[in-house]
Structure formats: C-alpha cells, structure tokens
Amino acid sequence: MSDWSKVTRPIPVPDEWTKPFWDAAKRGVLELQRCQNCGDFQHPPYATCVNCISTDLKFEPVEGGGTIYAYTIMYHTGDQRFAGAVPYASIIVEMDKAPGAFLPGNLLGVPYAEAKVGRRVEVLFETLNDDITLPQFRLAQTTSTA
Amino acid sequence: MVASGASDVDTSTSKHLRGKYAICGIGETSYRRGSDQTTRSLATWAIKNAMDDAGMNAGDVDGMLSYSGNDSTFSTFVAGDLGIRLNFYMDVHGGGSSTECLIGIAIGVIEAGLCKTVAIYRAMNGFSAVRIGGTGARSAAPVTGDQIHHRAYGWQSAGQMFAPSFLRHMYDYGTTPEQVAHVKVAHSNHASNNPKAYYKTRLTPEDVVNSRVICKPLHLLDCCVETDNATCIIVTGIDRARDCPNPPAVIQAIAGRTCKPRADMHYQHGPISTVAGYYAKDILWPNAGVGPEDIDVTGAYDAFTFTAMLQLEDYGFCKKGEGGDYVSSGIINLGGARPNNTSGGHLCEGYTHGMSMVIENTRQLRGEVDDFCPIGPDGKRQHTYDYAEGGCRQVKGAELTANLGWANPGTGSAMVMAKDR
C-alpha cells in the first residue's frame, strides 16, 4: 500500500476554464464539461468543444464509475513531494457515462499492484485544502454491469 | 475515436522540392557529463565543426535556427561569436522532433529567398544544467490549466507521462518488456562501435528488464542517457551542397511537428498507443516518393526504448501491434535488414533532442560513419562491415534513411534522406 500520509500534493490553481470542475469537486460532485451541440464530454475543459468547435459548453454531473484504461506505477520520484508515496499507481480512467473524457487519478485504498487495465473503479474526493478537492479513484465498491 | 486512415493533407505542393536541398555539413561536440562549458561555447564549437565539415567559412552561412527549452543560447550571440552576419535567424521552443521540422523551415526560408545556407544547432547541458528527466524547476511551478491532468497525481517527467502508452500497448497487443528491451540491446551494440558514445557496453535483454523499475513498465535501461553536448547541421541547396567536400545527404521529404488531434491530452482523441507518426506518415511517404520498405536505415527517436517501437509501427515499418516482434527480430540491428539508430541513439550515444540521429544518417549516406575501422591512405575509412564489438557500424550500400523524431506521443517530425545519385 502506498503511504500518502507524507505527500503534500501540488495544489491545482483553477482558471477560467477549470473553475467549475474544481467548484463541483469541492462539493463532492464530479462535473465534466459537455458540448451542448454534439454531446461530447471533454477533459480538461477548454474554450470550445474540440469535436465540433461549438462554444455552447456546460458542466454536467457525471456518475463516478469507470474502467482503468492505462496506468503506470511510479517507483522513481519525479516531483519530490511524492517521494513518500513511491511506489504508487497513477491511472487513466475511461468514464462510463462521459464518452470522450478520460480522467487521471491515483488508485487509493488498495496496494498499488491492484492497478490493472480493465479494473472497475469509482471516484472519491480527496480534500487538499479549503479551496481544492481532488477527484481520485478507488476500486469499485459495488458490482457493476459494465 | 479511431482516426481515419486516409490522408487529409494536401501533399501535392511540396513534391517539387524533393531532392533540391541537402545537408552539406555536420558537427558536434563530445557527448559528456560535465561539459564545464556554456551552451554558447558548446554551440560555437558544434557549428564551427559543421562549417569545417562543409568546407564553409563565416561568409558562407547566412541563416541560423536553433531549438531549446530555454536551456540554450540565442542564434544572435552564437553567430556573432563565429563572425557570421545573419540574413535570417529564429530560435524556437522545442525538444525532440525539432530537428527534422527545422530542416523543413530552413528549406522554406531558403526557397523564399531570405537566405542561402542555414546552420541549425542544439546546444544543451542536459546533464549538468537542465535535466529532462530531472524535475526540480518544473516541480516548483504552479499547477495550472491542463496540468490538472497530471501534476497533482504525481505525473511529472517524460517517462512518467509516456509510460501508460507502453503499458496499454502491452495490454492490447501482448507486447512484452523483454521484446522492447531489444531496442536497448541493439542500440548498445551499435554504440559499442561508436567511439563517441557515452555508453559503449553491450547489454542483454536481461540486463534491461533486471534494471530497476522507474515507472512501470519502464526500467532504468529503457530510458535514455542525459549528457552535455551541442550538435549542428548545415542545410543548403543541392547545387551548392555538391560543391562541398563531403557527399550531400539529399532531403527527399519532411513532416514537421505533425500532431494527433490533441498534442497535449493525446489519449482523449485516439488510442493512447497511437503516436503522431500515424498522421505524419501520410505526408512523409508520398512526398518522399518511397515507402518504409525502401528504407535502409531508420533513426526512430529513442527517448525510451518503446518510443522507437511505437514510431516504427505507426510509420508503417510493421503492422500496428507487431512492434514488439519487429524490434526483437534482429531487423533493427546492424547486419539486420533495417538497422535503427546505428550511433547508439539517445539510449547510448548521448542526448541531443534528435539532431544526433540526423547526423548519424548523414554519415551513413556518405559511407563515412566514424566507427573503429581503419582509415586508408586516401583518408577514407576502410569499412569492414564486421559489426562485432569495437568494429564497424557502416551499413553497406545505405541509400535511403528515415528519421522519425518524437516530441511526445502526440507530436512528431520525420525526414527521408537519400544518397546523392
């Protein structure tokens, strides 16, 4: 199990595009940017839909279930702030209900070796400070049909 | 999600430049750790060496291009140090994939009449100053914009960012780390015949997979070396190049910084193991008038073992998913059908963000690779084509080369060069 207790994560700084994502996360809700024209989700958020260039974009709540699409296990520290946690799993998750958007995260709550392509995961929220809460993942707690 | 295989690029307009420009000069410093020189000094030496190689003096070079990640010195300083009066210069941001692209820019500005001959350089203290694998300064920067996608989750270095592409390739196609380790093995064999190489020791696949894991599935020996060095190539029109002392490496086609639909979050728009070469190939091969099967030597960028594999696959040297077989089959070894990075590449020779691989292929086309073979009375190397350790690394009859430059999975450049007929 990765020891995250000594890790002080870099704090994301919201900008004009990402602020709604961070505001929602602070409320414990995963909201992703969705094009109201073509219906595509995208992440990170941008000024336009990168599929159809529509500017009619809204943030919509998204169910937190997904599948590990790819991952890596970090044995070597890049950012020194993560030194206490190595080895740890950083994963890319294909969301069930947000086609087009893949979310990054760490796999929390289980040994890092549990990270496998195709494993079912779900979002949880890690509070970093009063302003920023980070969407994260754990293995799915409920049996899924996906 | 799967991108269309058909080209949407108009490749009809640049074919008339096929064969009209060439690399006429190449130069480099040694590949070291601890240069004790400024990038300005390193660049000056590399350019001077390239000018000597081209038989040119300061008055013959009037254009300059460089690329860096704010870790180099501007053209204006370096040109002045060499006595060169510039008619054109530009210093651009960028790392891997810049070399081929800047050669294309050089051709464009010469064609447009801005200047006649362009020296392109990369100078970096990649070990003793700004380390690409190191992360000190970059870690201190605030996490903004798209970086929400990785920095807060402990993703920082190039290896950490690229590793999931390798891992998913393993999942989708059954590729193994042992197969991919053969890239390092081949390049280490090549480096053992390269007096300039930083690492000259021949390695086995076991050496690679038994080295410590950096980030799964990348081992230490899957990662390139960091060194201090500068490199330079000089580009000019074919007629002028033919007046130079060495045979021209004739430029047939270039794809420059071709991108996946998104270069940054590339896996949001196409499979994560698909790289920019998937798109660049549709510019490269039609403009070159040849295909991958015609190529004698490849220079697939090896920031990591698997980056070479993914590019060889997407440029069509083998079918998608068969890269593991391709790189472990012996094809990419000296003595194989199509050796890759005969200098040892970034995995073994030294790290220059791709320019050294263009220099190596220029030497291959000249038939003048600087290996351990004896130099004859005519001043030319007497190649033995014996690729045993400490021997030759000249590819017999090399006539066509392909450089496949990598910036990241989503961005790449490429170039085909030919021996002058």
Side-chain angles (χ1 to χ4, degrees), chain B residues 129-164:
Chain B
V130 180
R131 297 183 63 169
I132 301 298
T135 50
R138 285 182 287 160
S139 297
V143 183
T144 57
D146 287 357
Q147 294 182 344
I148 65 169
H149 219 75
H150 49 86
R151 292 268 306 276
Y153 303 105
W155 256 300
Q156 176 87 53
S157 69
Q160 292 174 336
M161 295 297 290
F162 302 167

Short mmCIF file of all heavy atoms in Angstrom, two decimals, chain B residues 129-164:
data_model
loop_
_atom_site.label_atom_id
_atom_site.label_comp_id
_atom_site.label_asym_id
_atom_site.label_seq_id
_atom_site.Cartn_x
_atom_site.Cartn_y
_atom_site.Cartn_z
N ALA B 129 23.08 20.90 -16.28
CA ALA B 129 22.22 22.07 -16.03
C ALA B 129 20.75 21.66 -16.03
O ALA B 129 20.23 21.25 -15.01
CB ALA B 129 22.50 23.17 -17.05
N VAL B 130 20.10 21.74 -17.17
CA VAL B 130 18.66 21.44 -17.22
C VAL B 130 18.47 19.98 -17.61
O VAL B 130 18.65 19.60 -18.77
CB VAL B 130 17.93 22.35 -18.23
CG1 VAL B 130 16.45 22.02 -18.27
CG2 VAL B 130 18.15 23.81 -17.84
N ARG B 131 18.10 19.16 -16.65
CA ARG B 131 17.93 17.73 -16.89
C ARG B 131 16.49 17.44 -17.28
O ARG B 131 15.56 17.80 -16.55
CB ARG B 131 18.34 16.93 -15.66
CG ARG B 131 19.81 17.11 -15.32
CD ARG B 131 20.21 16.26 -14.14
NE ARG B 131 20.07 14.83 -14.40
CZ ARG B 131 20.57 13.89 -13.61
NH1 ARG B 131 21.22 14.22 -12.52
NH2 ARG B 131 20.39 12.62 -13.90
N ILE B 132 16.34 16.77 -18.42
CA ILE B 132 14.99 16.46 -18.89
C ILE B 132 14.31 15.46 -17.96
O ILE B 132 13.12 15.55 -17.68
CB ILE B 132 15.05 15.89 -20.33
CG1 ILE B 132 15.71 16.92 -21.27
CG2 ILE B 132 13.67 15.53 -20.83
CD1 ILE B 132 14.98 18.24 -21.39
N GLY B 133 15.06 14.50 -17.49
CA GLY B 133 14.48 13.53 -16.57
C GLY B 133 14.32 14.09 -15.17
O GLY B 133 13.51 13.64 -14.38
N GLY B 134 15.12 15.10 -14.86
CA GLY B 134 15.04 15.74 -13.55
C GLY B 134 13.87 16.71 -13.53
O GLY B 134 13.34 17.09 -14.56
N THR B 135 13.47 17.10 -12.36
CA THR B 135 12.19 17.79 -12.29
C THR B 135 12.18 18.95 -11.29
O THR B 135 11.13 19.47 -10.99
CB THR B 135 11.10 16.79 -11.87
OG1 THR B 135 11.54 16.10 -10.72
CG2 THR B 135 10.81 15.81 -12.97
N GLY B 136 13.36 19.36 -10.82
CA GLY B 136 13.39 20.36 -9.77
C GLY B 136 12.64 21.63 -10.11
O GLY B 136 11.65 21.99 -9.46
N ALA B 137 13.08 22.33 -11.16
CA ALA B 137 12.49 23.62 -11.50
C ALA B 137 11.04 23.45 -11.92
O ALA B 137 10.17 24.25 -11.57
CB ALA B 137 13.29 24.27 -12.62
N ARG B 138 10.77 22.39 -12.68
CA ARG B 138 9.41 22.20 -13.17
C ARG B 138 8.44 21.85 -12.05
O ARG B 138 7.26 22.15 -12.11
CB ARG B 138 9.39 21.14 -14.27
CG ARG B 138 9.94 21.67 -15.59
CD ARG B 138 9.87 20.62 -16.67
NE ARG B 138 10.86 19.58 -16.45
CZ ARG B 138 10.78 18.38 -17.00
NH1 ARG B 138 9.77 18.05 -17.74
NH2 ARG B 138 11.73 17.49 -16.78
N SER B 139 8.95 21.19 -11.01
CA SER B 139 8.09 20.83 -9.89
C SER B 139 7.64 22.05 -9.11
O SER B 139 6.60 22.05 -8.47
CB SER B 139 8.80 19.88 -8.95
OG SER B 139 9.11 18.68 -9.60
N ALA B 140 8.48 23.10 -9.15
CA ALA B 140 8.18 24.28 -8.35
C ALA B 140 7.10 25.15 -9.00
O ALA B 140 6.48 25.98 -8.32
CB ALA B 140 9.46 25.10 -8.17
N ALA B 141 6.86 24.96 -10.27
CA ALA B 141 5.88 25.79 -10.97
C ALA B 141 4.47 25.46 -10.52
O ALA B 141 4.16 24.32 -10.20
CB ALA B 141 6.02 25.57 -12.48
N PRO B 142 3.57 26.46 -10.45
CA PRO B 142 2.19 26.19 -10.05
C PRO B 142 1.47 25.27 -11.04
O PRO B 142 1.82 25.23 -12.21
CB PRO B 142 1.55 27.58 -10.01
CG PRO B 142 2.51 28.52 -10.61
CD PRO B 142 3.82 27.87 -10.73
N VAL B 143 0.48 24.57 -10.54
CA VAL B 143 -0.27 23.62 -11.36
C VAL B 143 -1.48 24.35 -11.95
O VAL B 143 -2.41 24.69 -11.24
CB VAL B 143 -0.76 22.43 -10.53
CG1 VAL B 143 -1.49 21.43 -11.42
CG2 VAL B 143 0.41 21.77 -9.82
N THR B 144 -1.42 24.61 -13.24
CA THR B 144 -2.50 25.36 -13.88
C THR B 144 -2.96 24.63 -15.13
O THR B 144 -2.30 23.73 -15.62
CB THR B 144 -2.03 26.77 -14.28
OG1 THR B 144 -0.91 26.63 -15.15
CG2 THR B 144 -1.64 27.60 -13.07
N GLY B 145 -4.10 25.09 -15.64
CA GLY B 145 -4.60 24.64 -16.93
C GLY B 145 -4.64 23.13 -17.06
O GLY B 145 -5.10 22.42 -16.18
N ASP B 146 -4.12 22.65 -18.18
CA ASP B 146 -4.16 21.22 -18.48
C ASP B 146 -3.34 20.40 -17.49
O ASP B 146 -3.48 19.18 -17.43
CB ASP B 146 -3.60 20.97 -19.88
CG ASP B 146 -4.57 21.42 -20.95
OD1 ASP B 146 -5.68 21.86 -20.59
OD2 ASP B 146 -4.21 21.33 -22.13
N GLN B 147 -2.47 21.05 -16.74
CA GLN B 147 -1.64 20.28 -15.81
C GLN B 147 -2.46 19.67 -14.67
O GLN B 147 -1.96 18.80 -13.96
CB GLN B 147 -0.54 21.17 -15.23
CG GLN B 147 0.45 21.62 -16.29
CD GLN B 147 1.55 22.46 -15.69
OE1 GLN B 147 1.44 22.94 -14.59
NE2 GLN B 147 2.62 22.62 -16.44
N ILE B 148 -3.71 20.11 -14.53
CA ILE B 148 -4.57 19.42 -13.56
C ILE B 148 -4.65 17.95 -13.92
O ILE B 148 -5.00 17.12 -13.11
CB ILE B 148 -6.00 20.00 -13.51
CG1 ILE B 148 -6.74 19.79 -14.83
CG2 ILE B 148 -5.97 21.47 -13.14
CD1 ILE B 148 -8.22 20.10 -14.74
N HIS B 149 -4.34 17.69 -15.20
CA HIS B 149 -4.49 16.34 -15.65
C HIS B 149 -3.38 15.42 -15.19
O HIS B 149 -3.45 14.22 -15.36
CB HIS B 149 -4.57 16.31 -17.18
CG HIS B 149 -5.54 15.32 -17.69
ND1 HIS B 149 -6.89 15.51 -17.64
CD2 HIS B 149 -5.36 14.10 -18.23
CE1 HIS B 149 -7.50 14.45 -18.14
NE2 HIS B 149 -6.59 13.58 -18.50
N HIS B 150 -2.33 15.96 -14.64
CA HIS B 150 -1.26 15.03 -14.23
C HIS B 150 -0.50 15.44 -12.98
O HIS B 150 -0.20 14.61 -12.15
CB HIS B 150 -0.29 14.78 -15.38
CG HIS B 150 0.24 16.00 -16.08
ND1 HIS B 150 1.32 16.68 -15.64
CD2 HIS B 150 -0.19 16.65 -17.19
CE1 HIS B 150 1.58 17.69 -16.45
NE2 HIS B 150 0.67 17.71 -17.40
N ARG B 151 -0.18 16.73 -12.83
CA ARG B 151 0.77 17.11 -11.79
C ARG B 151 0.30 16.75 -10.37
O ARG B 151 1.08 16.30 -9.54
CB ARG B 151 1.07 18.61 -11.86
CG ARG B 151 1.85 19.04 -13.10
CD ARG B 151 3.35 19.07 -12.88
NE ARG B 151 3.72 19.86 -11.73
CZ ARG B 151 3.89 21.18 -11.71
NH1 ARG B 151 3.73 21.86 -12.82
NH2 ARG B 151 4.23 21.80 -10.61
N ALA B 152 -0.98 16.94 -10.11
CA ALA B 152 -1.47 16.69 -8.75
C ALA B 152 -1.50 15.19 -8.43
O ALA B 152 -1.65 14.81 -7.27
CB ALA B 152 -2.86 17.28 -8.58
N TYR B 153 -1.36 14.37 -9.46
CA TYR B 153 -1.38 12.93 -9.26
C TYR B 153 0.02 12.32 -9.34
O TYR B 153 0.19 11.11 -9.47
CB TYR B 153 -2.30 12.27 -10.28
CG TYR B 153 -3.72 12.81 -10.23
CD1 TYR B 153 -4.19 13.68 -11.21
CD2 TYR B 153 -4.57 12.47 -9.19
CE1 TYR B 153 -5.48 14.18 -11.16
CE2 TYR B 153 -5.86 12.97 -9.12
CZ TYR B 153 -6.31 13.83 -10.11
OH TYR B 153 -7.58 14.33 -10.05
N GLY B 154 1.04 13.20 -9.30
CA GLY B 154 2.41 12.71 -9.27
C GLY B 154 2.95 12.30 -10.63
O GLY B 154 3.86 11.49 -10.71
N TRP B 155 2.37 12.88 -11.68
CA TRP B 155 2.89 12.68 -13.03
C TRP B 155 3.73 13.89 -13.37
O TRP B 155 3.22 15.03 -13.36
CB TRP B 155 1.75 12.63 -14.05
CG TRP B 155 1.39 11.30 -14.56
CD1 TRP B 155 2.21 10.42 -15.23
CD2 TRP B 155 0.09 10.67 -14.52
NE1 TRP B 155 1.50 9.31 -15.60
CE2 TRP B 155 0.21 9.42 -15.18
CE3 TRP B 155 -1.14 11.03 -14.00
CZ2 TRP B 155 -0.87 8.56 -15.32
CZ3 TRP B 155 -2.20 10.17 -14.15
CH2 TRP B 155 -2.07 8.94 -14.79
N GLN B 156 5.00 13.72 -13.73
CA GLN B 156 5.84 14.88 -13.97
C GLN B 156 6.80 14.68 -15.13
O GLN B 156 6.75 15.41 -16.10
CB GLN B 156 6.64 15.22 -12.70
CG GLN B 156 7.62 16.36 -12.85
CD GLN B 156 6.98 17.69 -12.61
OE1 GLN B 156 6.35 17.90 -11.59
NE2 GLN B 156 7.14 18.60 -13.54
N SER B 157 7.67 13.70 -15.03
CA SER B 157 8.73 13.54 -16.02
C SER B 157 8.17 12.94 -17.31
O SER B 157 7.07 12.40 -17.35
CB SER B 157 9.83 12.64 -15.47
OG SER B 157 9.36 11.31 -15.37
N ALA B 158 8.99 13.04 -18.36
CA ALA B 158 8.58 12.49 -19.65
C ALA B 158 8.30 10.99 -19.53
O ALA B 158 7.31 10.50 -20.07
CB ALA B 158 9.67 12.75 -20.69
N GLY B 159 9.15 10.29 -18.83
CA GLY B 159 8.94 8.85 -18.68
C GLY B 159 7.62 8.54 -18.01
O GLY B 159 6.88 7.64 -18.41
N GLN B 160 7.31 9.30 -16.98
CA GLN B 160 6.05 9.09 -16.26
C GLN B 160 4.85 9.39 -17.16
O GLN B 160 3.83 8.71 -17.11
CB GLN B 160 6.01 9.97 -15.01
CG GLN B 160 7.01 9.55 -13.96
CD GLN B 160 7.07 10.51 -12.78
OE1 GLN B 160 6.71 11.69 -12.90
NE2 GLN B 160 7.52 10.02 -11.64
N MET B 161 4.99 10.42 -17.99
CA MET B 161 3.89 10.81 -18.86
C MET B 161 3.67 9.83 -20.01
O MET B 161 2.55 9.59 -20.44
CB MET B 161 4.14 12.21 -19.44
CG MET B 161 4.18 13.33 -18.42
SD MET B 161 2.60 13.53 -17.56
CE MET B 161 1.61 14.20 -18.89
N PHE B 162 4.79 9.27 -20.51
CA PHE B 162 4.68 8.42 -21.70
C PHE B 162 4.40 6.95 -21.36
O PHE B 162 3.90 6.20 -22.19
CB PHE B 162 5.97 8.46 -22.52
CG PHE B 162 6.41 9.82 -23.00
CD1 PHE B 162 7.69 10.01 -23.51
CD2 PHE B 162 5.57 10.92 -22.96
CE1 PHE B 162 8.12 11.25 -23.96
CE2 PHE B 162 5.99 12.18 -23.40
CZ PHE B 162 7.26 12.34 -23.90
N ALA B 163 4.75 6.54 -20.15
CA ALA B 163 4.71 5.11 -19.80
C ALA B 163 3.34 4.45 -20.04
O ALA B 163 3.29 3.30 -20.48
CB ALA B 163 5.14 4.91 -18.35
N PRO B 164 2.21 5.16 -19.76
CA PRO B 164 0.92 4.49 -20.00
C PRO B 164 0.70 4.06 -21.45
O PRO B 164 -0.03 3.10 -21.71
CB PRO B 164 -0.11 5.55 -19.56
CG PRO B 164 0.62 6.37 -18.53
CD PRO B 164 2.04 6.44 -19.06
#
